[in-house]
Amino acid sequence: MRINKFISHNSKYSRREADELIKQGLVKINKKTALLNDSVNTEDKVFINGKKLHKKTQFSVIIYHKQKGEIVSKKDDRGRKTIYHTLPKQFSTWLSVGRLDFASEGLLLLTDSPVIADALMHSDLEREYYLKVKGNIDKNVIEAMQNGLEIQNEKKGAHAKTKITSMNFAPFLGFEIFGSSGGYTKLKVIINEGKNRELRRFFGHFDLEVMDLKRVAFGALDLGMLKAGKYRYLENGEYEKLRDFLKINDIRY
């Protein structure tokens, strides 16, 4: 494993910060000053500014109820509110598992382990959402939810600055249409992908604007009655289910 990756996995430092520490000569592998391209083996000992870095054997995860009007980022060049403005300072170095866009709300996972964040972000665990769209769900939309969809040269529903114009959407794992009134339709959908603005782009293809989007579950973890802007640690049973997932997928942490 690359030295900067090892440091980021087992300390509060990001890979970029680890690179800076290495450049300053503050990192040693065994008794040798580390270089940027160095790798670490299981038997190696790593020191930062003279202190031994111990490999993490435990991890923590919280469920945060992201509010609308927050972005999932450490900083924003436009000065918008981030989730880290709401969360206590103790979580300032924690990593989010994927993102929810500025206008979306609901369940967001954060962890102190980059390994866990990466594993969950790229997993095929189910994600459950409640949506309100402007317009009616017709047979073409239903068929696309059932069979999947491919779009080409299209940015409807995407972020204004996106360079991605083509996307493939897998069939939804499940959906339920609750009904339409006043020109809007409410529905629940279950998918197992985490592409950027995936649902907004899917429905945008059919000229259906997503007005409200709320994630309520991620795998075996659900939002429950957690209020917007609040967080909670996973319960023991939830940690056990997460460890089972990691073990099945041979993910070491």
Side-chain angles (χ1 to χ4, degrees):
M1 180 184 291
R2 284 281 295 274
I3 180 62
N4 62 351
K5 186 175 182 180
F6 180 86
I7 292 173
S8 71
H9 280 197
N10 297 286
S11 75
K12 65 180 181 180
Y13 300 108
S14 67
R15 291 193 195 184
R16 184 176 298 176
E17 289 169 336
D19 285 341
E20 289 303 315
L21 292 171
I22 295 167
K23 290 177 182 177
Q24 293 172 28
L26 299 176
V27 179
K28 287 189 176 182
I29 302 175
N30 301 318
K31 295 182 179 180
K32 175 189 173 185
T33 301
L35 301 176
L36 288 173
N37 292 326
D38 282 345
S39 295
V40 179
N41 297 316
T42 54
E43 65 273 12
D44 287 328
K45 296 178 181 179
V46 176
F47 300 86
I48 298 178
N49 207 16
K51 294 183 179 180
K52 185 178 178 181
L53 183 61
H54 295 280
K55 188 173 181 180
K56 281 186 179 179
T57 58
Q58 298 293 328
F59 60 87
S60 296
V61 179
I62 62 170
I63 293 175
Y64 172 60
H65 187 159
K66 179 195 171 299
Q67 306 168 96
K68 286 185 178 180
E70 291 179 333
I71 63 169
V72 184
S73 177
K74 296 288 178 68
K75 297 179 181 179
D76 181 54
D77 56 9
R78 293 163 58 184
R80 293 174 296 177
K81 183 180 180 181
T82 78
I83 61 170
Y84 297 99
H85 287 124
T86 303
L87 286 165
K89 289 183 179 180
Q90 69 195 76
F91 301 115
S92 62
T93 60
W94 286 38
L95 302 171
S96 65
V97 177
R99 302 190 178 209
L100 286 172
D101 63 48
F102 184 76
S104 298
E105 62 179 317
L107 184 152
L108 182 70
L109 300 177
L110 290 100
T111 177
D112 59 355
S113 168
V115 174
I116 303 302
D118 187 67
L120 291 175
M121 193 183 312
H122 296 98
S123 73
D124 61 357
L125 291 172
E126 296 181 359
R127 284 88 155 158
E128 183 176 335
Y129 300 84
Y130 283 94
L131 296 94
K132 177 182 177 182
V133 301
K134 187 175 183 179
N136 296 311
I137 304 294
D138 61 22
K139 65 177 184 179
N140 292 324
V141 183
I142 292 174
E143 288 177 358
M145 288 193 288
Q146 292 173 331
N147 304 318
L149 174 69
E150 180 180 352
I151 62 172
Q152 299 286 341
N153 301 317
E154 188 176 310
K155 290 187 178 182
K156 293 178 183 178
H159 189 280
K161 295 182 179 180
T162 187
K163 295 181 180 179
I164 301 172
T165 60
S166 301
M167 290 184 76
N168 287 308
F169 303 91
F172 289 10
L173 299 181
F175 64 89
E176 181 179 355
I177 301 171
F178 299 126
S180 300
S181 64
Y184 299 93
T185 302
K186 293 183 178 180
L187 69 159
K188 175 181 74 176
V189 303
I190 301 173
I191 59 177
N192 64 348
E193 295 182 308
K195 297 176 182 176
N196 183 258
R197 298 178 70 94
E198 178 175 6
L199 292 174
R200 294 186 186 277
R201 298 192 71 165
F202 176 93
F203 289 102
H205 173 75
F206 299 98
D207 294 322
L208 298 170
E209 184 181 359
V210 175
M211 308 304 295
D212 293 312
L213 188 154
K214 182 177 183 179
R215 182 159 63 199
V216 297
F218 191 114
L221 308 174
D222 65 80
L223 192 62
M225 301 300 292
L226 188 66
K227 294 182 179 180
K230 301 298 183 180
Y231 74 93
R232 69 172 179 85
Y233 282 91
L234 297 195
E235 298 174 355
N236 288 337
E238 293 172 320
Y239 273 119
E240 287 303 315
K241 291 177 182 177
L242 182 51
R243 289 190 179 93
D244 287 342
F245 161 76
L246 297 171
K247 184 176 181 181
I248 291 171
N249 290 275
D250 195 27
I251 297 169
R252 301 181 181 182
Y253 55 91

